[in-house]
PDB file of all heavy atoms in Angstrom:
ATOM      1  N   PRO Y  32      -2.882  19.812   3.590  1.00 98.00           N
ATOM      2  CA  PRO Y  32      -3.292  20.901   4.485  1.00 98.00           C
ATOM      3  C   PRO Y  32      -4.636  21.509   4.051  1.00 98.00           C
ATOM      4  O   PRO Y  32      -4.704  22.656   3.602  1.00 98.00           O
ATOM      5  CB  PRO Y  32      -2.139  21.901   4.382  1.00 98.00           C
ATOM      6  CG  PRO Y  32      -1.613  21.702   2.991  1.00 98.00           C
ATOM      7  CD  PRO Y  32      -1.785  20.225   2.702  1.00 98.00           C
ATOM      8  N   ILE Y  33      -5.677  20.704   4.158  1.00 98.00           N
ATOM      9  CA  ILE Y  33      -7.028  21.140   3.789  1.00 98.00           C
ATOM     10  C   ILE Y  33      -8.011  20.704   4.864  1.00 98.00           C
ATOM     11  O   ILE Y  33      -7.758  19.772   5.618  1.00 98.00           O
ATOM     12  CB  ILE Y  33      -7.478  20.560   2.423  1.00 98.00           C
ATOM     13  CG1 ILE Y  33      -7.529  19.034   2.475  1.00 98.00           C
ATOM     14  CG2 ILE Y  33      -6.586  21.050   1.297  1.00 98.00           C
ATOM     15  CD1 ILE Y  33      -8.161  18.378   1.264  1.00 98.00           C
ATOM     16  N   SER Y  34      -9.123  21.410   4.899  1.00 98.00           N
ATOM     17  CA  SER Y  34     -10.252  21.029   5.751  1.00 98.00           C
ATOM     18  C   SER Y  34     -11.339  20.450   4.871  1.00 98.00           C
ATOM     19  O   SER Y  34     -11.551  20.917   3.753  1.00 98.00           O
ATOM     20  CB  SER Y  34     -10.811  22.246   6.494  1.00 98.00           C
ATOM     21  OG  SER Y  34      -9.857  22.793   7.364  1.00 98.00           O
ATOM     22  N   CYS Y  35     -12.034  19.437   5.366  1.00 98.00           N
ATOM     23  CA  CYS Y  35     -13.216  18.897   4.697  1.00 98.00           C
ATOM     24  C   CYS Y  35     -14.394  19.104   5.635  1.00 98.00           C
ATOM     25  O   CYS Y  35     -14.322  18.773   6.821  1.00 98.00           O
ATOM     26  CB  CYS Y  35     -13.052  17.421   4.380  1.00 98.00           C
ATOM     27  SG  CYS Y  35     -11.920  17.114   3.019  1.00 98.00           S
ATOM     28  N   LEU Y  36     -15.461  19.664   5.108  1.00 98.00           N
ATOM     29  CA  LEU Y  36     -16.612  20.064   5.911  1.00 98.00           C
ATOM     30  C   LEU Y  36     -17.880  19.393   5.410  1.00 98.00           C
ATOM     31  O   LEU Y  36     -18.192  19.432   4.224  1.00 98.00           O
ATOM     32  CB  LEU Y  36     -16.769  21.591   5.850  1.00 98.00           C
ATOM     33  CG  LEU Y  36     -17.961  22.218   6.537  1.00 98.00           C
ATOM     34  CD1 LEU Y  36     -17.918  21.963   8.045  1.00 98.00           C
ATOM     35  CD2 LEU Y  36     -17.995  23.714   6.253  1.00 98.00           C
ATOM     36  N   GLY Y  37     -18.607  18.782   6.333  1.00 98.00           N
ATOM     37  CA  GLY Y  37     -19.878  18.158   6.009  1.00 98.00           C
ATOM     38  C   GLY Y  37     -20.868  18.351   7.135  1.00 98.00           C
ATOM     39  O   GLY Y  37     -20.522  18.879   8.199  1.00 98.00           O
ATOM     40  N   SER Y  38     -22.090  17.942   6.895  1.00 98.00           N
ATOM     41  CA  SER Y  38     -23.114  18.091   7.931  1.00 98.00           C
ATOM     42  C   SER Y  38     -24.076  16.908   7.889  1.00 98.00           C
ATOM     43  O   SER Y  38     -24.151  16.182   6.910  1.00 98.00           O
ATOM     44  CB  SER Y  38     -23.887  19.397   7.752  1.00 98.00           C
ATOM     45  OG  SER Y  38     -24.688  19.339   6.589  1.00 98.00           O
ATOM     46  N   CYS Y  39     -24.782  16.740   8.993  1.00 98.00           N
ATOM     47  CA  CYS Y  39     -25.853  15.758   9.055  1.00 98.00           C
ATOM     48  C   CYS Y  39     -26.968  16.348   9.909  1.00 98.00           C
ATOM     49  O   CYS Y  39     -26.765  17.342  10.604  1.00 98.00           O
ATOM     50  CB  CYS Y  39     -25.361  14.422   9.615  1.00 98.00           C
ATOM     51  SG  CYS Y  39     -24.821  14.466  11.320  1.00 98.00           S
ATOM     52  N   TYR Y  40     -28.135  15.749   9.828  1.00 98.00           N
ATOM     53  CA  TYR Y  40     -29.293  16.203  10.600  1.00 98.00           C
ATOM     54  C   TYR Y  40     -30.158  14.983  10.893  1.00 98.00           C
ATOM     55  O   TYR Y  40     -29.782  13.856  10.553  1.00 98.00           O
ATOM     56  CB  TYR Y  40     -30.053  17.303   9.850  1.00 98.00           C
ATOM     57  CG  TYR Y  40     -30.838  16.803   8.660  1.00 98.00           C
ATOM     58  CD1 TYR Y  40     -32.230  16.791   8.695  1.00 98.00           C
ATOM     59  CD2 TYR Y  40     -30.208  16.336   7.515  1.00 98.00           C
ATOM     60  CE1 TYR Y  40     -32.957  16.323   7.604  1.00 98.00           C
ATOM     61  CE2 TYR Y  40     -30.917  15.876   6.437  1.00 98.00           C
ATOM     62  CZ  TYR Y  40     -32.299  15.871   6.487  1.00 98.00           C
ATOM     63  OH  TYR Y  40     -33.029  15.410   5.430  1.00 98.00           O
ATOM     64  N   SER Y  41     -31.287  15.192  11.517  1.00 97.00           N
ATOM     65  CA  SER Y  41     -32.112  14.063  11.955  1.00 97.00           C
ATOM     66  C   SER Y  41     -32.555  13.158  10.810  1.00 97.00           C
ATOM     67  O   SER Y  41     -32.843  11.983  11.022  1.00 97.00           O
ATOM     68  CB  SER Y  41     -33.336  14.566  12.725  1.00 97.00           C
ATOM     69  OG  SER Y  41     -34.150  15.370  11.890  1.00 97.00           O
TER      70      SER Y  41
END
Side-chain angles (χ1 to χ4, degrees):
I33 62 171
S34 297
C35 287
L36 176 63
S38 69
C39 65
Y40 73 110
S41 62

